[in-house]
Amino acid sequence: MIACAASWVQADIAPGVDSYVQNAELLLLVHAQSNQEREAFPPANGKKRLVVEKVLKGFTTHPYVDEAAPQLKDGQSALVLYQYAYPDHYRPALRTASPKASSVVIWPIGDKDHVMAGNIHLKSGSYKGMDFSPPSTLADVINYVAEQTPEEVGLCDQSTSLLLALPGGEAMKDPKRKSFVEYYTIVRDLGRDVHVLAGLLESTNPVTRAAAKQRLEAIASGAVPNPKDEDPLSLQLWSHHWMRWWNENEPHLFWNETLQRWVEGDKDAHKRRWPPIPAALKLPRDEFPPNMVKALEQKKSRDFAPAFRDWLDSGVMRDRQICMAASLDRKWVEQNNLDGAIGGSRYLPPAPRLSPEVIFSDKISATDRMKAFALVSHCWHYGRFTRERARAIVEIEKAPMDAECIKRAAFWEMTDDNFKTSGRVAGERFFQSKESEAGKLSLALFLIGPTSETISAARQRIESKDKEFIKGLLQHVRSDRDGAAEWAGRLLCQSKHPEIIPILLEWLGDSDPHSRQMAALNLCWFPSADAIPGLLHALKSEKIPAVEEQFIVALAQTGDRRALDPLLAAAREKQESYTAIEIARGLSRIKDAHALPALAEMATRFKGDDQASWEIVNAFGYISGEFKGYSPSDFCSGSAIEMDKLKDGQSAIKKWMKKKSDS
């Protein structure tokens, strides 16, 4: 926690009060307890208890916050800004680590409502030639909220009133405003949030407390006794007892839509709700539930609410659809500040919002509207989702090796080789089980998307000569051009399966340059005389340099004399180090003296690149016999550099070139 006004280092743009307000996910107007209030209701050690007077932006039901705020005098008013930060810039919808606590900025309010924000100017701008603005006032901050996020004005109080079925004031008499608040409370999931309702038990308003108690007892079975007294400390303990009950029991509770309450799940219930594996062993397209999209299209919040609750609880399917929602048009991503849901990275990013336009505009389809809802939900419920994924990993690790949940999780969960996910853990456990020996699901998991686990398992199936598995790989390489097809072609080439050669030769004529390049790359692991005509034909018509280069590298692996002319032509051109090394090795394999002039000229080009120089010099010695050279290394492998022999070889090549020029 940071409880001070920030100081800034030199930068191109100086963030002003406007940027801080836009960045705040929660902005509170508070006052520090008076001496009398503190004696009656003392704060935690080392902190000050700040009494919430008004929520200017964001949502909370807690009437007090305890923060380190030594700069505040007893009874002094202040603004408290809880800063929003992107949770993770890489694949946030797979993450399991809980988000860090928000940084806190506290601005005391002085005479004439001046906001003491230190050296932070009223408006953001360039340091160069900056006009030093007058001191900010409370009215400035309130105006910024109204300008930047007009829907936030009065939203916390209105949402609370709607949640508890209490009168909501004049604004709620406007049907459009009431509809917006309904959608906001649904997406925030306030009606089922025990922490939100428990916070209201500390309210100084007995009507609010009674309504919150009634709602809590309706949705939860926690046997939390009523407090004997209604002093602030007793009410806080009552509130905390409810929160503690929820924290202890939430992992085992499931929402029953019929009963409209949280209930204990049976022993086979999983929070991730992994569906049965389809008979076809293929992942369906990620799409939102039709009933939810239809309710949005018809703008029926009453029908949307239960569908959205079910979606929020759908675990793995929800996460898959959040990833799909990243395709939302940039206009709506930027308008609602949703970059944090798709891996954004920025200092003081604007806090996520749900703009009324997303709900009511005819310019956005129901599907795109739901994408926006999904992304903002990912921001607002990020901690809840990460806890759910983390618990799923523990559940998978403890499950018996042959458990159905392991197979389902391995099939449905997304995975990443860079960090631990439930999909990765499930895949590891599945491939250690006897179930994987059947091959069918192993093949399906590989084709869904190659990972380190599925690639390793595929190698084992190929090495064990699993005919059905190999047949499935060949069929996929023949019919598809996706990442799984690329990897299948590579594994079959590395295992020297001759059936793959004619299929990859078809790839060489594909309209997609990436597919042509990948075919040539895979053929490097399986040099074959049968591939030479196809490579030479494809090389003649290739127009894209990177693909042409890969064709040359593939020809270099063959050691076939038919590859000599194109290799010599390539050797005379300027090449990157990697390509030059493979050309030199390729000429070594052919071992034809006609390559010596080209190699001698190449040897002069790579000063400072010892690896390329060594490979070229070694090839010259190996072919010419002028000095000792070694047979070429295999594709995609390194070779040790012998610096003394490199220098001697370079000298020998210079003498050879002089001798040739003299003759």
Side-chain angles (χ1 to χ4, degrees):
M1 293 285 187
I2 302 172
C4 61
S7 60
W8 294 97
V9 295
Q10 187 72 23
D12 292 335
I13 298 295
V17 169
D18 55 343
S19 291
Y20 274 82
V21 170
Q22 192 173 35
N23 164 256
E25 58 184 347
L26 182 61
L27 173 56
L28 306 176
L29 175 62
V30 305
H31 74 261
Q33 282 180 320
S34 65
N35 184 53
Q36 185 177 358
E37 288 174 320
R38 186 169 57 253
E39 288 179 357
F41 188 27
N45 288 338
K47 296 188 176 182
K48 288 201 174 192
R49 178 150 292 155
L50 309 178
V51 182
V52 178
E53 297 178 3
K54 190 173 184 61
V55 178
L56 300 179
K57 182 184 177 187
F59 185 87
T60 184
T61 56
H62 296 282
Y64 311 98
V65 291
D66 290 353
E67 300 292 351
Q71 70 272 47
L72 294 184
K73 300 175 183 177
D74 288 355
Q76 185 177 13
S77 294
L79 291 173
V80 181
L81 298 87
Y82 291 85
Q83 296 182 285
Y84 171 69
Y86 290 146
D88 205 292
H89 70 278
Y90 177 67
R91 303 200 76 179
L94 277 70
R95 294 291 177 171
T96 57
S98 296
K100 296 178 181 177
S102 298
S103 296
V104 180
V105 172
I106 297 177
W107 292 335
I109 297 175
D111 294 338
K112 298 181 180 179
D113 280 347
H114 283 162
V115 175
M116 292 181 277
N119 58 347
I120 300 173
H121 301 290
L122 183 60
K123 291 187 177 181
S124 303
S126 171
Y127 273 103
K128 188 176 181 180
M130 172 172 271
D131 177 24
F132 285 82
S133 307
S136 307
T137 65
L138 178 59
D140 291 326
V141 173
I142 292 173
N143 287 337
Y144 278 144
V145 173
E147 291 170 7
Q148 296 166 354
T149 52
E151 72 279 359
E152 288 281 356
V153 178
L155 183 56
C156 183
D157 289 342
Q158 292 160 9
S159 301
T160 302
S161 297
L162 185 69
L163 171 63
L164 300 180
L166 298 174
E170 285 297 316
M172 292 293 280
K173 293 179 182 178
D174 178 359
K176 191 170 184 179
R177 179 61 178 180
K178 183 178 180 182
S179 179
F180 172 79
V181 176
E182 286 173 350
Y183 279 105
Y184 179 84
T185 58
I186 292 167
V187 178
R188 282 277 191 183
D189 201 26
L190 301 180
R192 304 188 300 166
D193 194 320
V194 171
H195 276 250
V196 163
L197 292 164
L200 292 167
L201 297 179
E202 293 189 67
S203 172
T204 56
N205 186 330
V207 175
T208 298
R209 291 201 304 271
K213 173 180 178 292
Q214 183 179 11
R215 178 65 185 166
L216 273 170
E217 292 175 347
I219 68 167
S221 58
V224 178
N226 295 337
K228 294 181 180 179
D229 298 307
E230 294 185 353
D231 60 279
L233 181 58
S234 297
L235 295 178
Q236 186 183 69
L237 290 173
W238 187 28
S239 171
H240 287 186
H241 283 160
W242 268 105
M243 293 181 195
R244 185 161 55 249
W245 173 86
W246 174 256
N247 293 341
E248 292 171 355
N249 290 276
E250 185 269 334
H252 316 292
L253 296 176
F254 293 78
W255 181 255
N256 186 306
E257 190 65 36
T258 303
L259 299 177
Q260 286 287 294
R261 64 187 289 112
W262 294 105
V263 299
E264 285 279 345
D266 61 42
K267 62 181 181 63
D268 296 321
H270 305 285
K271 285 281 189 177
R272 296 295 286 169
R273 282 171 53 173
W274 299 295
I277 298 173
L281 297 179
K282 289 187 177 181
L283 280 172
R285 181 179 176 181
D286 290 317
E287 295 178 319
F288 295 117
N291 63 325
M292 186 166 64
V293 176
K294 183 179 179 181
L296 267 184
E297 188 172 26
Q298 297 176 345
K299 296 184 174 65
K300 293 183 177 180
S301 59
R302 187 179 295 274
D303 294 337
F304 176 71
F308 187 78
R309 286 192 289 267
D310 189 59
W311 179 82
L312 270 184
D313 296 345
S314 63
V316 66
M317 305 308 288
R318 175 204 64 223
D319 286 352
R320 298 187 66 87
Q321 290 157 22
I322 287 173
C323 288
M324 176 270 291
S327 63
L328 178 64
D329 189 286
R330 283 298 303 174
K331 170 188 174 181
W332 303 109
V333 172
E334 292 171 2
Q335 185 196 79
N336 292 274
N337 308 331
L338 298 174
D339 271 319
I342 57 179
S345 178
R346 175 180 169 182
Y347 178 68
L348 277 185
R353 60 186 286 231
L354 183 63
S355 69
E357 192 174 359
V358 164
I359 298 173
F360 301 118
S361 175
D362 294 329
K363 297 178 181 179
I364 182 171
S365 67
T367 298
D368 279 352
R369 183 174 291 125
M370 186 56 223
K371 287 180 181 179
F373 281 19
L375 294 179
V376 78
S377 296
H378 190 218
C379 297
W380 287 346
H381 302 293
Y382 190 82
R384 165 183 168 180
F385 295 167
T386 56
R387 289 192 299 272
E388 178 191 290
R389 297 183 201 117
R391 286 196 295 261
I393 290 177
V394 175
E395 187 177 348
I396 292 166
E397 289 175 334
K398 290 182 177 179
M401 198 69 83
D402 60 349
E404 178 68 16
C405 69
I406 291 179
K407 290 184 284 186
R408 291 190 183 191
F411 183 84
W412 289 106
E413 292 282 4
M414 297 174 289
T415 188
D416 194 287
D417 286 337
N418 297 296
F419 57 93
K420 190 175 183 179
T421 68
S422 49
R424 181 174 175 180
V425 173
E428 290 171 350
R429 297 213 68 205
F430 171 74
F431 290 120
Q432 293 168 4
S433 70
K434 292 183 179 180
E435 287 280 342
S436 66
E437 295 176 3
K440 288 185 178 180
L441 186 53
S442 296
L443 176 62
L445 294 177
F446 177 86
L447 298 182
I448 285 170
T451 65
S452 56
E453 289 77 31
T454 59
I455 290 168
S456 176
R459 280 201 176 98
Q460 293 176 16
R461 305 294 343 131
I462 293 170
E463 290 169 3
S464 67
K465 295 182 170 51
D466 185 329
K467 292 182 180 179
E468 287 300 313
F469 190 90
I470 293 169
K471 180 181 176 181
L473 292 181
L474 288 167
Q475 183 177 343
H476 191 74
V477 180
R478 189 177 290 112
S479 61
D480 287 81
R481 297 291 187 268
D482 58 9
E486 293 169 12
W487 264 105
R490 185 167 309 166
L491 294 175
L492 290 168
C493 281
Q494 290 172 345
S495 301
K496 305 296 187 287
H497 274 268
E499 302 97 320
I500 194 61
I501 297 295
I503 301 175
L504 290 181
L505 292 180
E506 292 179 11
W507 279 48
L508 294 178
D510 198 272
S511 60
D512 177 26
H514 179 74
S515 295
R516 300 196 298 272
Q517 188 176 13
M518 289 299 102
L521 174 63
N522 287 342
L523 286 169
C524 291
W525 276 286
F526 192 4
S528 169
D530 294 340
I532 297 291
L535 283 167
L536 292 173
H537 177 75
L539 181 63
K540 288 180 181 178
S541 58
E542 186 55 59
K543 304 297 183 185
I544 298 177
V547 181
E548 183 180 16
E549 184 179 283
Q550 193 61 62
F551 288 167
I552 291 294
V553 173
L555 286 167
Q557 312 310 313
T558 64
D560 194 296
R561 288 189 59 81
R562 289 173 290 179
L564 180 61
D565 288 343
L567 287 178
L568 289 175
R572 297 184 188 102
E573 297 177 1
K574 186 177 180 180
Q575 301 286 357
E576 296 292 333
S577 176
Y578 157 77
T579 308
I581 289 171
E582 292 302 336
I583 290 172
R585 291 177 178 180
L587 293 172
S588 289
R589 294 184 184 100
I590 297 172
K591 207 172 184 181
D592 189 303
H594 287 93
L596 295 178
L599 286 168
E601 194 277 328
M602 285 179 74
T604 66
R605 280 194 237 142
F606 291 90
K607 293 179 181 178
D609 187 337
D610 292 340
Q611 187 67 56
S613 296
W614 166 253
E615 296 281 358
I616 295 165
V617 167
N618 179 69
F620 188 97
Y622 182 71
I623 295 170
S624 67
E626 294 284 329
F627 52 89
K628 184 178 180 180
Y630 302 101
S631 59
S633 300
D634 292 336
F635 173 65
C636 207
S637 63
S639 57
I641 303 171
E642 300 180 32
M643 292 304 298
D644 291 342
K645 290 186 178 180
L646 171 59
K647 292 176 181 177
D648 292 343
Q650 289 171 328
S651 298
I653 291 174
K654 287 180 181 178
K655 291 178 182 178
W656 181 88
M657 292 177 73
K658 187 174 187 307
K659 183 178 178 182
K660 290 288 288 184
S661 62
D662 291 344
S663 62

